[in-house]
Amino acid sequence: MVRSLSSSPLLGLGAFLVLAVSSVVLLLSPVHAGTFPSPLRQRFVNATAIDACRSIRFTSKDSRLDYGLVSALGVWLSFYMTSSAQPPTCLVKPATPEDLAAVVKVVGQKRINFAVTSGGHTGNPGFSSTNGILISMKGFQRVVLSNDKSYVDIGTGNIWDNVYQVLEGSGVNINGGRVSGVGLGGFITSGGGFSWLTNQLGLTVDTLQQFSIVLPDGSHQTVTPSSNPDLFWAVKGGGNQFGIVYDVRLATKAQSKQVWGGLKTYTFDQIPAIVNATAAFDVKNEDPKAQIIPTFNFFLGQPGVSLLAFYDGENPPAGTFDMFDSARPFTADWKARGFTDLVRSAPSNATAGHRGAFHTVSLTSYSQSLIEFIVAELNHYGSIGWQHSAFFLSYDVEPFLDYPSKPAAWKHDNSPKPLNIYFAWDSPLDDAFWRKEIVATADRITQKARDEGQKLDGLLLYPNYAIDSTPIDRIYDAASRQRLRSIKARIDPTNVMGLTTFFKF
Ligand SMILES: Cc1cc2nc3c(=O)[nH]c(=O)nc-3n(C[C@H](O)[C@H](O)[C@H](O)COP(=O)(O)OP(=O)(O)OC[C@H]3O[C@@H](n4cnc5c(N)ncnc54)[C@H](O)[C@@H]3O)c2cc1C
Ligand SMILES: *[C@@H]1O[C@H](CO)[C@@H](O)[C@H](O)[C@H]1NC(C)=O
Ligand SMILES: *[C@@H]1O[C@H](CO)[C@@H](O)[C@H](O)[C@H]1NC(C)=O
Ligand SMILES: *[C@@H]1O[C@H](CO)[C@@H](O)[C@H](O)[C@H]1NC(C)=O
């Protein structure tokens, strides 16, 4: 793959730091600020936002507030896609609910643009980034298993890796993220969470027992399904529009000491065999403990497949994954192992640190011809990617069984089976191209599935995968939108959370 110098990620970092440094220089020397051309001044020095940062008062010594270069570097390093990072006016890391509430009160009273980030894994610029006040949840890091082991209380500043690490060997597990590095806050609030246990337990939010939240008025409370049924429902997929969730309680399930699975990779010549085997798995597998994610990808000028497999037990029954035996792997690492090791063996970090976007299709099944169509889409973009600074192009096939569900703002009672499309590239000049094409490819795959007879009308798109330009009625149905709006009007009458960005229901 041809990659020109101007599209290297390091130069991207350079440009980002120039933005940050100019804001510091201007901050420190107001006299010189006057000599900068006014568009620069407006862009980099926002007196209103700086005054708001300065007025934040923390009571805990563990809470932090950083400006300029320190905050910009912290931000650059904490986002999965660099296109979702932006240098903020200040970066705050409250460590207590009271200090988090103090920030919410300042942004609400002074009407300051802000964003909330937990794990920084969204592909939508602005959803967890801002040039105003950035609230990082990294100060909320507890993971506490209850004495009777029936639930775990978890701070939303954690990544799932931390939770599995604490539970390893305890005999119980929770229904959370599948790969390394993903945050809890967005996973739960902005979609609901597809897991290795989804066939058995539904989404992560289907195992949510309670959460603690700072509300838009700056008060905080713990919410259960009975204490506030509306808010409990709204937070399960309504995103950052109802307040900032700082703690969640998830139900546990019994977990064997070891599970089975890991990664196999395949070169392009094995793609037809993997396509067949994936379609066969989708038809034949009836064991909810067995799941796979084949990712058809284009990387370093070649198509290939990464195949993650999982079995909830030390040994899958004979026949479970046999359909994949006819394909010859390039690397093979399927084995019995601890759950943490399984999650951390996924190569998710290898494709971080570039510009990128996610988008999605919700399907009822994965036929062989549909997967062949997806591979043809991949090969098309692979062949032109070098002209548009492509780094990695991928289609994640997620052939779940029908899974359990509870009512939630993101409705999933008809078991949508997502396709996750991830395009990563390096030049900001190619943002518009890839953001348009990721929608175009999803639309063609949707049409192909309809042509094959799939009934997709009631199947909604997963907000944690959908690109920000997605029409809202493809994410929430009319009844959910109506209920979201009325709960929002009650909980946030002055629209404080409208000062940050999410899908507009
Ligand atoms: C490598 C990779 C693997 C993934 N794997 C999975 C997977 O297995 N299953 C799955 O379902 N999804 C998966 N996703 C998608 C993932 O669920 C979303 O990107 C999710 O939003 C990430 O949450 P975060 O806290 O890391 O993101 P952030 O970018 O920090 O936040 C995302 C959104 O949630 C809001 N938000 C964050 N924290 C809070 C909070 N505490 N209170 C209120 N709002 C908040 C933000 O404001 C923002 O709008 C994956 C994504 C990537 C990049
Ligand atoms: C400065 O910040 C305030 C508060 O977030 C915002 O309303 C205003 O639009 C910003 N001004 C500029 C020029 O960006
Ligand atoms: C992936 O990156 C995240 C964030 O930088 C880090 O916390 C995690 O440990 C990394 N995972 C692995 C397997 O290296
Ligand atoms: C895949 O399946 C098709 C039809 O079902 C068959 O013709 C083809 O030979 C199979 N390919 C491989 C590599 O198994």
Side-chain angles (χ1 to χ4, degrees):
M1 182 162 305
V2 178
R3 290 178 54 204
S4 68
L5 196 60
S6 68
S7 66
S8 103
L10 268 184
L11 283 183
L13 175 62
F16 180 91
L17 290 180
V18 166
L19 280 184
V21 171
S22 1
S23 76
V24 179
V25 169
L26 295 175
L27 233 175
L28 295 179
S29 47
V31 180
H32 290 115
T35 66
F36 275 78
S38 64
L40 266 184
R41 243 184 3 228
Q42 275 167 12
R43 175 129 186 227
F44 301 142
V45 186
N46 186 322
T48 319
I50 289 170
D51 286 348
C53 292
R54 288 193 176 129
S55 74
I56 295 170
R57 295 282 171 271
F58 287 143
T59 53
S60 164
K61 63 176 182 5
D62 295 326
S63 298
R64 285 188 62 90
L65 197 163
D66 290 309
Y67 295 92
L69 199 53
V70 177
S71 73
L73 260 179
V75 165
W76 179 265
L77 294 173
S78 62
F79 281 82
Y80 186 81
M81 300 180 210
T82 55
S83 46
S84 297
Q86 204 180 338
T89 301
C90 62
L91 170 65
V92 296
K93 282 188 199 165
T96 61
E98 291 71 25
D99 284 354
L100 177 59
V103 184
V104 172
K105 281 180 196 150
V106 166
V107 299
Q109 280 157 13
K110 298 183 186 279
R111 309 294 304 176
I112 306 299
N113 296 325
F114 75 102
V116 183
T117 180
S118 290
H121 270 50
T122 183
N124 288 327
F127 275 33
S128 60
S129 58
T130 176
N131 52 21
I133 296 180
L134 182 62
I135 305 173
S136 162
M137 296 304 288
K138 288 290 173 207
F140 294 87
Q141 289 276 351
R142 75 172 182 150
V143 182
V144 182
L145 178 60
S146 67
N147 287 330
D148 69 357
K149 296 193 181 180
S150 70
Y151 61 82
V152 189
D153 287 319
I154 314 168
T156 53
N158 280 290
I159 56 173
W160 290 106
D161 308 43
N162 304 348
V163 188
Y164 298 131
Q165 206 112 51
V166 170
L167 297 182
E168 193 73 55
S170 69
V172 296
N173 199 2
I174 45 83
N175 184 26
R178 288 171 293 188
V179 302
S180 182
V182 184
L184 257 91
F187 195 87
I188 288 177
T189 60
S190 304
F194 286 104
S195 148
W196 286 122
L197 304 170
T198 287
N199 282 346
Q200 300 176 68
L201 301 172
L203 303 191
T204 297
V205 289
D206 295 315
T207 60
L208 181 67
Q209 295 185 335
Q210 66 175 43
F211 59 82
S212 300
I213 187 169
V214 168
L215 294 170
D217 66 3
S219 64
H220 57 93
Q221 58 174 257
T222 295
V223 178
T224 66
S226 53
S227 79
N228 192 338
D230 279 343
L231 185 56
F232 194 79
W233 173 88
V235 160
K236 296 189 289 180
N240 57 24
Q241 291 299 296
F242 296 89
I244 304 177
V245 176
Y246 57 89
D247 207 68
V248 295
R249 175 170 292 179
L250 298 181
T252 58
K253 69 168 283 274
Q255 186 63 65
S256 52
K257 206 169 161 56
Q258 293 206 304
V259 294
W260 180 95
L263 176 70
K264 281 189 181 182
T265 63
Y266 301 86
T267 47
F268 69 93
D269 51 310
Q270 302 298 308
I271 289 178
I274 297 294
V275 168
N276 284 16
T278 302
F281 182 89
D282 189 45
V283 171
K284 284 189 197 147
N285 179 53
E286 290 175 349
D287 184 344
K289 294 182 171 180
Q291 287 186 196
I292 55 168
I293 311 179
T295 301
F296 297 89
N297 61 59
F298 214 96
F299 183 49
L300 300 174
Q302 294 276 349
V305 187
S306 298
L307 176 59
L308 289 171
F310 172 76
Y311 194 81
D312 189 12
E314 266 177 54
N315 272 305
T320 312
F321 299 101
D322 282 9
M323 50 291 265
F324 292 99
D325 288 352
S326 65
R328 191 179 61 256
F330 176 61
T331 63
D333 184 33
W334 286 1
K335 62 183 184 193
R337 62 209 313 170
F339 196 87
T340 314
D341 183 50
L342 175 102
V343 166
R344 289 180 63 85
S345 73
S348 47
N349 283 358
T351 47
H354 301 267
R355 304 187 76 76
F358 267 18
H359 196 36
T360 189
V361 180
S362 281
L363 297 159
T364 61
S365 60
Y366 281 99
S367 69
Q368 180 166 321
S369 48
L370 183 65
I371 306 170
E372 279 164 356
F373 187 86
I374 291 168
V375 171
E377 288 286 309
L378 172 70
N379 286 333
H380 165 67
Y381 288 110
S383 71
I384 61 169
W386 63 275
Q387 300 171 43
H388 296 282
S389 70
F391 170 74
F392 180 76
L393 306 169
S394 72
Y395 294 73
D396 265 28
V397 167
E398 303 191 11
F400 292 108
L401 297 173
D402 283 354
Y403 45 86
S405 72
K406 290 182 181 156
W410 189 63
K411 195 166 177 282
H412 53 283
D413 57 353
N414 47 9
S415 297
K417 294 163 184 60
L419 173 75
N420 174 266
I421 311 170
Y422 170 40
F423 288 169
W425 64 92
D426 286 318
S427 170
L429 298 177
D430 289 314
D431 288 3
F433 175 81
W434 289 115
R435 286 173 50 83
K436 177 165 133 295
E437 293 304 325
I438 204 166
V439 172
T441 187
D443 284 350
R444 284 190 297 269
I445 294 165
T446 305
Q447 190 54 50
K448 170 72 178 166
R450 286 188 196 279
D451 292 347
E452 290 192 352
Q454 291 202 32
K455 304 257 177 300
L456 303 183
D457 281 351
L459 283 187
L460 298 163
L461 299 184
Y462 182 50
N464 265 330
Y465 289 172
I467 196 165
D468 47 17
S469 60
T470 306
I472 199 68
D473 59 357
R474 300 199 48 204
I475 298 178
Y476 306 102
D477 65 11
S480 298
R481 281 200 322 274
Q482 170 62 39
R483 187 169 174 199
L484 280 167
R485 284 196 298 265
S486 85
I487 298 170
K488 166 111 178 132
R490 207 158 3 103
I491 287 184
D492 190 12
T494 59
N495 198 16
V496 173
M497 302 312 288
L499 294 161
T500 189
T501 309
F502 192 64
F503 294 104
K504 299 255 175 294
F505 42 73

